[in-house]
Amino acid sequence: MAEPDEAFSAQLRAATWSDHGDNEGSSYMSALVGGRLGREEYAVLVAQLHPVYDTLERAAAERMAADPVAGPFAFADLCRRDALEADLAFYYGPGWRERLAPSEATRRYCDRLREICFDWPGGFVAHHYTRYLGDLSGGQYIGKQVQLRLGLGADGDGVRFYRFPGKPKGYKDRYRALLDAAPWDAAERERIIAEVKTAYRLNASVTEALGRELKIPAA
Ligand code: HEM
């Protein structure tokens, strides 16, 4: 049960860290950071992430920007959709939009985002946290591995998704301070924790599906 006097950022991390492991340990992600995938096999992940960020960033712009609690989480520097589009153009060329479609797992993830993130501020933060704090944390390591392992240049082509305008540490400190200051009671904290677990499961399904499609052996 939630301890209301514990910093929420610490509580959230502790309560969901085992769910994080399913993502980190998926065969696809292990193969990616282990240098066993080529550019085409990495590009399919970028293609699946695009609809996810598109939906999250629509929820932010259309509904959550004006919310006093959720609004400050969605600061402009974090937005990833443009970076993903630049990476997609790099891997698939200017006609990338016509060539790509969300997988069934990605469609289910986006359905959940539409159900939760447009009306429930705490639920929006749950999904936002799972992706963006991840991009600022382990995502920075993943980005470096992708650049190195796929032989990409230092100019950022193909890995714009991992590059933020400022230093990740500053954004993470600010993000955790927002989590700690949010006026959520113990029951709302528990609901948010449960939604982060759902978000991790939905993410794991996306990479598990890619692992199956590419016939990557279990990690
Ligand atoms: C190869 C795959 C992955 C690796 C190696 C990895 C690694 C890590 C590491 C080392 C941290 C801790 C960093 C720190 O304490 O500053 C972290 C944090 C995090 N990761 Fe991952 N990660 C991976 C995949 C993912 C995925 C797919 C997601 C999202 C679906 C994700 C979401 C997060 C989140 C939200 C945090 C922040 C937890 C917190 O401090 O509250 N990670 N990751």
Side-chain angles (χ1 to χ4, degrees):
M1 188 60 198
E3 293 290 337
D5 51 351
E6 189 187 356
F8 186 50
S9 59
Q11 184 191 350
L12 178 58
R13 179 186 165 107
T16 59
W17 195 245
S18 61
D19 306 273
H20 176 274
D22 298 339
N23 282 277
E24 189 177 348
S26 79
S27 64
Y28 179 88
M29 292 310 289
S30 302
L32 178 64
V33 296
R36 296 191 296 281
L37 301 186
R39 291 189 186 189
E40 277 178 29
E41 293 163 314
Y42 171 62
V44 294
L45 174 63
V46 184
Q48 297 309 313
L49 290 178
H50 180 263
V52 170
Y53 284 83
D54 185 49
T55 312
L56 269 168
E57 289 176 17
R58 275 177 209 278
E62 293 168 18
R63 300 295 276 274
M64 291 299 156
D67 183 87
V69 176
F73 284 91
F75 43 98
D77 278 10
L78 294 187
C79 290
R80 298 289 83 202
R81 182 173 45 205
D82 291 351
L84 284 165
E85 294 185 357
D87 287 344
L88 288 169
F90 173 77
Y91 291 111
Y92 292 101
W96 61 268
R97 240 177 241 279
E98 286 71 53
R99 294 181 53 193
L100 305 176
S103 68
E104 199 192 317
T106 300
R107 278 203 299 274
R108 273 204 309 276
Y109 187 0
C110 291
D111 285 348
R112 183 72 180 174
L113 292 174
R114 276 189 288 274
E115 194 184 318
I116 296 293
C117 297
F118 285 75
D119 295 308
W120 172 29
F124 167 79
V125 172
H127 284 280
H128 194 272
Y129 158 86
T130 309
R131 285 300 338 173
Y132 296 82
L133 208 66
D135 300 333
L136 293 166
S137 303
Q140 295 301 299
Y141 165 73
I142 299 170
K144 288 194 186 89
Q145 291 305 311
V146 168
Q147 185 179 343
L148 183 77
R149 307 292 201 159
L150 300 187
L152 298 166
D155 54 7
D157 278 352
V159 283
R160 304 231 175 265
F161 173 62
Y162 303 98
R163 300 211 169 171
F164 291 87
K167 288 222 180 343
K169 164 115 178 38
Y171 297 129
K172 281 166 69 174
D173 289 349
R174 176 172 166 189
Y175 205 98
R176 291 196 175 108
L178 287 169
L179 285 171
D180 294 342
W184 296 314
D185 63 13
E188 180 69 351
R189 283 180 171 200
E190 288 296 344
R191 288 180 69 209
I192 293 168
I193 288 169
E195 195 59 33
V196 168
K197 286 171 171 286
T198 299
Y200 274 128
R201 257 199 319 277
L202 290 164
N203 273 282
S205 302
V206 171
T207 48
E208 277 158 18
L210 292 178
R212 277 196 303 276
E213 193 184 305
L214 298 171
K215 299 193 174 32
I216 297 171

